[in-house]
Each structure stands twice: as C-alpha cells, then as structure tokens.
Amino acid sequence: MDIKMWINGKEVKGEVAPETLLIDFVRSKGSFSVKRGCETSNCGLCTVLLEGKPVLSCSTLVARAQGKHVVTLEGIQKEALEIGLFVADEGAEQCGFCSPGLIMNMYAMKNELKNPSDEEIKHYLAGNLCRCTGYMGHMRAIRKYLDAHQEVSHEDRK
C-alpha cells in the first residue's frame, strides 16, 4: 500500500506492507530517535506525536498515520533540550532510558493541557517506564516545566 504523511513537517511517501508499524516507517525515513525498547507497548521509548497526541509507534500501524502529521524528537530539538534541563535539574535524569518518551509526553502536555491535575499528568506517564526513579523527580520537573510555560502564556496576553 502507498502511504503519505508528514514527519517533522516534511512530506514523506513510501510503499509499505499493511502490517508495517509506524516505528519502522519513521526510522526508515531517518527518525532514529524513535527506538524499540520493550516490544510490549509498556516502556514509551517509541513515543511519537500523531496529530499532536502521544502514541506508541511500536504498536501503531503506519496506516493510522496516512495523511497525518508525525513529530519525533528530531522535530522538537530545541524544546527537547529545554525539557531535558528541567528533568536534569530535578534529578530525574539517570540512565536516560525513559527520556525520549518522557520528553515527547511533556511536550504534548504543554500543548494540550492547561493546569493539569496530578492524575492527568500520570495519565501521560502511564506508557513510560522509568527503571531508575520513583517518578517524583519527573513530577517535579513536569510541574516546573508546565508552570514556566503557563507564565509565558500569561505574559504574551498582556
């Protein structure tokens, strides 16, 4: 089947088998930040944004992305660096295994949620496995990151 989508703002096309996973297609197009981790949709290492929403690309058929926009870490490098600094400042950056999915989810939260509850934040983290921390550092980093961007939004309105 023929497939067309936008990866990080660039139109890409290809011929794929119907059972092709999104992870395999985006990697074939040069988005190597998207990695396999657990192969069971539990670790979040393969998280990408599909039309702005986080999805696990290891369990998403590429056909679901037909005609849509996909964003990977390569597409948000500046934002990923900023998010990484918030995570590191809170001591939540240890082995780095969970970082790709965590960063993608934090970016999505900033764009989608306004003043999220802890439960809403935990919903975004449900697909991210962290092997090193108890998620408290992540929660602090997320809160500080979202608060910083909430303040910017308020200043822009003045």
Side-chain angles (χ1 to χ4, degrees):
M1 70 185 269
D2 290 328
I3 193 88
K4 177 179 95 171
M5 69 181 71
W6 288 262
I7 300 176
N8 301 322
K10 180 183 174 190
E11 183 180 311
V12 295
K13 297 177 181 180
E15 187 171 323
V16 297
E19 68 275 8
T20 302
L21 295 171
L22 184 56
I23 188 172
D24 296 320
F25 188 76
V26 296
R27 286 184 59 80
S28 76
K29 299 301 180 185
S31 292
F32 297 114
S33 68
V34 184
K35 294 184 175 25
R36 280 190 163 76
C38 64
E39 297 281 347
T40 60
S41 304
N42 288 308
C43 72
L45 196 58
C46 66
T47 302
V48 301
L49 302 181
L50 180 60
E51 294 295 316
K53 306 278 188 197
V55 299
L56 299 172
S57 64
C58 75
S59 60
T60 302
L61 292 174
V62 72
R64 185 171 170 214
Q66 171 66 20
K68 296 183 179 176
H69 294 85
V70 175
V71 176
T72 69
L73 278 176
E74 286 89 353
I76 61 164
Q77 289 182 14
K78 180 180 172 189
E79 295 89 347
L81 177 60
E82 178 190 12
I83 292 168
L85 293 173
F86 276 90
V87 172
D89 285 348
E90 293 304 319
E93 180 65 28
Q94 292 184 21
C95 79
F97 179 82
C98 65
S99 296
L102 180 71
I103 289 169
M104 295 304 292
N105 282 307
M106 286 176 70
Y107 180 77
M109 278 188 255
K110 177 193 67 132
N111 294 328
E112 187 175 342
L113 303 178
K114 301 298 178 220
N115 300 315
S117 67
D118 284 351
E119 288 306 311
E120 288 174 303
I121 292 171
K122 289 175 184 176
H123 172 75
Y124 269 87
L125 296 181
N128 289 93
L129 174 64
C130 178
R131 297 173 175 179
C132 302
T133 73
Y135 297 98
M136 295 310 296
H138 291 137
M139 290 295 286
R140 287 191 308 269
I142 291 166
R143 281 272 173 227
K144 288 182 178 181
Y145 172 71
L146 294 176
D147 288 348
H149 284 277
Q150 185 82 23
E151 291 170 15
V152 170
S153 296
H154 291 319
E155 290 174 12
D156 287 345
R157 292 184 198 146
K158 293 179 182 179

